[in-house]
Amino acid sequence: MTSGGGGSGPQAAPRGALIGLGLVVLVFAAFSQFKLPVVLPLLLDRYAYDPVLAGGFMSVYAVLGIALSLWIGRHVEARGPLNLILLALPLMAGGTLVSLAAPQLGGIVLLGRAVEGAAFAILAVAGPVLATSLVSERHRNLVVGLVAAWMPAGQLLAAVLAPLALATTGWTGLWLASVAMALGLIAWAWHLRGKGSMAAGPSRAKAQAQAQAQAQTQTGGAAAGEALRTPWTRGQKQALWLTAGVFMLWSGQYLAYMTWLPEYLVGALGLTVEEALWIYLIPIVLVGVFNVLSGLVLRRGLAVERLLLGAVTVQALLWWLLPVSSSGLAGLLSLCLYGITAGIVPTCLFTLPTEAVRNTGQRARAFGSVMTGRNLGVFLGPLLLAQLVKWSGDWVASSPAFAVLTSLAAVLSLLLLFVMPDLRGTGQADLAASKPETL
């Protein structure tokens, strides 16, 4: 492609559109994963899946994530996030169609969810990179808050569409809606990839420099290759390992909680599916609201590691108290507090890699490392809860195990208090050296 008006060089789509695409594909990825829990009570009743197999329908996403996250991080840096997004979206649609082909066969559904999981792993790395690499330092925490809201936003979309589908086409309508969304996003991403116009700047030289920086973010380039060869410092490694550890432990209990909450409300408390979905919306909405509010709080200067420690500690206490707060008014209060703190934690976890690794060229690798920790938790959480309930026959009996896991996450969060201040003090030079022209 050539730059308009004479000089040659790469051109790129408007940054706002690219940031928007990064955010939307993340919401779509979360919707694709959480379109299962909102109809899981019906699927268990109709097809009599083993509970552990049903937990595997969620955990298989993590298997592909564990296998692919680091590879994806390297390829996003080398080829650009937009190219990887265009690979993931057809995969997601294909996996959904596989599950629809024979939903009565648990193995076929598991295969389809595995294909979706590969697509999810790509979008979970490429989406944040596309959304955060083009944003100024001034707006970074706000955008990170929006990035962190991808999971509750996708869950909310699934929970809102599920009753409409059940009242009209049945649960399969939710799967067909997922395919239609994937096709629409493919068209949008392809349009942005081929778009050659650029917002007018104060000078041709500056416009060309902006185009080159954006095109490098979209499609990779020499700086990305150089970033692949740049090793992290000891402090960066410590921060990323601790962040990945917190993400593993925290996401394990979160995915267990949010996967099985509708089935618990229906099977243990005797609610209808429709009533369970209304209650399911409470923590989802609170998570989304506090994702964004946390970004605004961090923008005002609160240390991210301190906010993380407080939120994870409260969640650990909620698990310890679950045997006496599993229903009634105490249960509702616990559900609300869980949603609030579950909104704060992911915002902090998505902020930490951007603070630990200020060089934007290295950021995809950092996100890939952290997402590997998340995927380990996603793999273990739903399966562990299903197995504990299967052994004990009691949903609440699983709470001590998850209380221990969340308490360990709080301990790792505490260790970040000793690592992050030094990184924050030494990272400004990296930021100044790598910072592109931004909005």
Side-chain angles (χ1 to χ4, degrees):
M1 296 171 63
T2 60
S3 182
S8 63
Q11 291 183 331
R15 296 185 180 205
L18 290 168
I19 293 168
L21 178 64
L23 295 172
V24 171
V25 297
L26 280 172
V27 174
F28 171 68
F31 164 81
S32 299
Q33 185 173 28
F34 279 91
K35 68 180 183 288
L36 176 76
V38 292
V39 295
L40 186 56
L42 290 177
L43 296 179
L44 289 170
D45 181 63
R46 181 173 300 179
Y47 301 116
Y49 301 131
D50 182 273
V52 177
L53 175 63
F57 295 159
M58 292 293 284
S59 294
V60 73
Y61 267 55
V63 174
L64 276 297
I66 294 166
L68 297 176
S69 282
L70 291 175
W71 178 89
I72 291 167
R74 294 188 181 98
H75 278 261
V76 167
E77 286 181 339
R79 299 175 57 192
L82 200 53
N83 287 325
L84 271 292
I85 287 170
L86 281 167
L87 170 65
L89 292 171
L91 273 179
M92 188 69 81
T96 302
L97 291 173
V98 168
S99 296
L100 275 175
Q104 72 279 10
L105 301 177
I108 296 297
V109 176
L110 188 63
L111 174 62
R113 293 287 287 179
V115 176
E116 290 183 1
F120 179 95
I122 295 172
L123 296 177
V125 176
V129 172
L130 187 62
T132 61
S133 294
L134 298 171
V135 177
S136 68
E137 188 69 12
R138 178 186 172 192
H139 297 106
R140 181 172 57 84
N141 283 330
L142 176 59
V143 172
V144 168
L146 293 173
V147 167
W150 69 307
M151 195 62 69
Q155 289 177 265
L156 181 62
L157 183 59
V160 169
L161 292 182
L164 298 177
L166 295 177
T168 54
T169 60
W171 70 269
T172 57
L174 205 58
W175 262 245
L176 293 173
S178 179
V179 174
M181 290 178 198
L183 295 176
L185 288 171
I186 289 169
W188 185 16
W190 191 260
H191 171 71
L192 291 180
R193 188 178 186 275
K195 192 174 179 64
S197 64
M198 184 70 189
S203 69
R204 179 178 298 176
K206 184 172 182 178
Q208 289 181 346
Q210 289 176 330
Q212 288 169 352
Q214 283 182 251
Q216 198 170 75
T217 299
Q218 294 179 66
T219 60
E226 182 64 28
L228 288 171
R229 296 188 291 271
T230 303
W232 288 323
T233 66
R234 180 180 178 183
Q236 287 175 322
K237 289 179 181 178
Q238 290 175 340
L240 292 174
W241 276 108
L242 288 171
T243 302
V246 176
F247 222 157
M248 177 184 71
L249 296 167
W250 180 84
S251 62
Q253 59 84 31
Y254 178 79
L255 264 290
Y257 191 101
M258 299 307 293
T259 295
W260 290 106
L261 179 58
E263 175 60 17
Y264 167 74
L265 295 171
V266 173
L269 299 187
L271 303 180
T272 66
V273 173
E274 290 76 12
E275 290 170 338
L277 288 177
W278 281 110
I279 295 176
Y280 187 64
L281 284 173
I282 295 173
I284 292 174
V285 171
L286 288 171
V287 169
V289 169
F290 279 86
N291 279 152
V292 178
L293 289 179
S294 300
L296 295 175
V297 169
L298 292 173
R299 186 179 175 185
R300 296 180 70 88
L302 179 64
V304 60
E305 61 272 17
R306 294 182 182 276
L307 185 60
L308 175 65
L309 176 60
V312 174
T313 300
V314 171
Q315 286 203 300
L317 291 173
L318 292 174
W319 278 108
W320 286 115
L321 294 172
L322 193 61
V324 296
S325 62
S326 58
S327 61
L329 182 60
L332 180 61
L333 178 61
S334 176
L335 195 68
C336 292
L337 286 174
Y338 188 89
I340 291 169
T341 50
I344 295 170
V345 172
T347 301
C348 296
L349 292 171
F350 277 106
T351 301
L352 282 165
T354 69
E355 292 207 357
V357 181
R358 294 285 184 161
N359 188 325
T360 57
Q362 294 179 305
R363 202 162 283 169
R365 200 158 29 116
F367 273 114
S369 300
V370 170
M371 291 304 295
T372 299
R374 176 193 179 276
N375 287 324
L376 283 168
V378 173
F379 170 67
L380 294 172
L383 288 176
L384 178 60
L385 181 54
Q387 191 63 66
L388 289 172
V389 172
K390 189 176 180 179
W391 284 339
S392 66
D394 183 359
W395 287 94
V396 179
S398 65
S399 62
F402 286 95
V404 169
L405 293 177
T406 315
S407 297
L408 289 174
V411 171
L412 296 183
S413 300
L414 178 63
L415 295 177
L416 280 166
L417 294 182
F418 301 96
V419 176
M420 287 305 299
D422 289 340
L423 281 180
R424 195 171 289 113
T426 59
Q428 298 303 320
D430 286 342
L431 176 64
S434 63
K435 184 177 178 182
E437 289 284 340
T438 51
L439 292 174

